[in-house]
Amino acid sequence: MIDRINRVRKAMQKDVLDGYLVSSPANLRYLTNFTGTAGIALITPDDAFFITDFRYMEQAAEQTSGLKILQHQGDIIGEISSLIDQKQLSSMGFEDQFVSFAEYSLYEEFFDVELAPASGLIERLREKKEQSEIETISKACQIADAAYEHVLKMIRPGMTEIEVANQLDFFMRSLGASGTSFETIVASGVRSALPHGVASNKVIAEGEMITLDFGCYYQGYVSDITRTFAIGDPGEKLKEIYHIVLTAQNMVLTEAKAGITGNQLDQVARTYISEQGYGEAFGHSTGHGIGLEIHEGPTISRMNEFSLEIGNVITDEPGIYIPDLGGVRIEDDLVVLENGNHALTHAPKELIIL
């Protein structure tokens, strides 16, 4: 963890900060490896403190390294204030996108330091994954792949979407997942036109397209995969749409590499889908980063003019959605390499009609 803390210190120097307060659970895990629910870290140029209460002192000692562990006896705000005075901090960054207004009000009242909104400092560092992180994400992807194969074997007409989602979620847990990355999407028939159609009580029927978008947490890191398949013949229109989406998705796989911008990669899928006459039916971005959180940088969207870097882990997920008919989305997780990428998800992508 000390290497990560030192990288935070370098970022602090660039932003002219002599203190940085870390309260986001994902950023705390990244910097400290702490998995409990009560704690905060203060990073300075020559020290790193982790502050928690009596319940987590032993856990913090076991999980963290490179930080001085402090137990706050009363209010944690008072302990932070004492450290600010002790270290004679003049400017302290804090995670303004995570801190509530009530917490900020306490900061202003009790901290004798210039407060600097500095969200994103650690998130930017997290975008470039270490090999150990990639290996953990890969395991989460293997679990998701196996879960898709499980669904193909057990799904049948007459089941509800919620029944399928529960089967899928429980199966991932049986393989070692600690939970789902997000609420599992099972969208069948006309509901597959809903990009985020979480599982409902709808009964799955013969001749319907079914979109599954799901993933799991494994040792703190996520997977995120989407597959669309059919039970019975879904009709020529949806089969046409499926092959357009699959082609666009594979085009992104071909082009994703270090140096291409998020906007350029988004346009690979968007231009092709538009040329096929479905541009208006593809309303979301082509992808996003994953890691400790299901949505993190870099984004594969029109808004991102920054280049991808070696070690980014991104999704590739174009889709087409037609109201009152249905939709198709196909998604893989990719590690960005110097001259290409490596897919971490390997579940079959050809149109499967059960």
Side-chain angles (χ1 to χ4, degrees):
M1 296 296 137
I2 192 64
D3 289 342
R4 295 178 181 180
I5 292 171
N6 285 334
R7 278 187 277 145
V8 170
R9 288 185 174 123
K10 288 182 181 178
M12 288 166 55
Q13 286 181 333
K14 185 177 179 181
D15 291 349
V16 196
L17 300 171
D18 54 12
Y20 193 69
L21 195 63
V22 186
S23 51
S24 154
N27 287 342
L28 279 172
R29 178 152 190 168
Y30 181 74
L31 279 188
T32 72
N33 203 39
F34 180 71
T35 61
T37 57
I40 201 164
L42 177 62
I43 312 300
T44 72
D46 55 5
D47 268 315
F49 302 95
F50 182 75
I51 310 160
T52 188
D53 60 43
F54 170 80
R55 298 170 297 167
Y56 292 105
M57 288 296 290
E58 185 175 347
Q59 180 179 345
E62 291 175 353
Q63 292 182 329
T64 67
S65 61
L67 299 99
K68 298 177 181 177
I69 303 169
L70 303 177
Q71 177 182 334
H72 67 88
Q73 303 292 340
D75 195 331
I76 196 169
I77 293 292
E79 189 70 39
I80 299 167
S81 180
S82 296
L83 287 173
I84 290 170
D85 295 341
Q86 174 189 325
K87 303 302 295 183
Q88 298 181 325
L89 303 184
S90 59
S91 61
M92 184 177 73
F94 71 99
E95 298 173 315
D96 53 297
Q97 292 184 9
F98 182 79
V99 171
S100 70
F101 181 76
E103 289 169 321
Y104 177 71
S105 298
L106 291 174
Y107 291 0
E108 277 198 314
E109 182 177 357
F110 292 102
F111 295 168
D112 186 17
V113 67
E114 180 184 345
L115 292 168
S119 282
L121 187 150
I122 296 175
E123 285 85 348
R124 287 190 292 273
L125 300 178
R126 283 170 41 198
E127 289 185 12
K128 192 169 184 177
K129 269 60 179 181
E130 301 164 8
Q131 185 57 36
S132 61
E133 294 179 285
I134 293 171
E135 290 171 359
T136 305
I137 296 170
S138 179
K139 178 60 179 177
C141 290
Q142 290 173 28
I143 292 172
D145 282 340
Y148 181 60
E149 296 284 0
H150 173 71
V151 168
L152 292 179
K153 293 174 183 175
M154 53 73 61
I155 194 169
R156 63 187 185 277
M159 295 182 71
T160 66
E161 294 173 347
I162 287 178
E163 286 178 306
V164 174
N166 287 339
Q167 289 261 9
L168 191 156
D169 295 352
F170 295 153
F171 186 80
M172 289 193 293
R173 285 183 179 273
S174 76
L175 296 181
S178 59
T180 59
S181 306
F182 50 91
E183 189 171 359
T184 295
I185 291 171
V186 180
S188 61
V190 296
R191 291 193 74 253
S192 62
L194 302 174
H196 279 184
V198 296
S200 73
N201 286 317
K202 179 190 172 299
V203 174
I204 295 168
E206 186 84 15
E208 291 186 332
M209 279 289 205
I210 302 163
T211 296
L212 304 179
D213 188 348
F214 62 97
C216 70
Y217 271 99
Y218 178 77
Q219 295 183 1
Y221 286 81
V222 306
S223 55
D224 186 4
I225 183 173
T226 305
R227 291 293 186 266
T228 302
F229 63 99
I231 296 183
D233 192 331
E236 293 305 312
K237 189 70 171 177
L238 284 171
K239 286 190 282 188
E240 173 199 0
I241 288 170
Y242 188 95
H243 291 296
I244 292 171
V245 172
L246 180 59
T247 299
Q249 205 258 356
N250 282 328
M251 290 172 70
V252 172
L253 271 172
T254 300
E255 297 297 326
K257 62 184 177 181
I260 192 170
T261 69
N263 173 51
Q264 289 170 333
L265 195 55
D266 178 80
Q267 287 303 316
V268 169
R270 197 167 304 283
T271 298
Y272 177 74
I273 289 174
S274 295
E275 289 172 349
Q276 305 308 306
Y278 292 98
E280 294 299 317
F282 177 25
H284 57 72
S285 64
T286 298
H288 56 85
I290 62 170
L292 287 165
E293 296 179 288
I294 192 59
H295 288 100
E296 45 184 68
T299 59
I300 312 304
S301 73
R302 296 167 173 164
M303 306 298 292
N304 185 11
E305 299 292 343
F306 293 98
S307 297
L308 300 185
E309 296 182 287
I310 297 170
N312 291 156
V313 180
I314 60 171
T315 67
D316 167 14
E317 51 177 307
I320 294 175
Y321 313 93
I322 308 297
D324 300 320
L325 176 66
V328 173
R329 182 166 66 256
I330 303 169
E331 175 184 23
D332 283 314
D333 300 338
L334 320 176
V335 181
V336 176
L337 306 176
E338 182 177 3
N339 296 308
N341 62 84
H342 171 64
L344 298 178
T345 42
H346 302 287
K349 292 191 294 186
E350 71 276 6
L351 177 56
I352 294 172
I353 299 178
L354 300 175

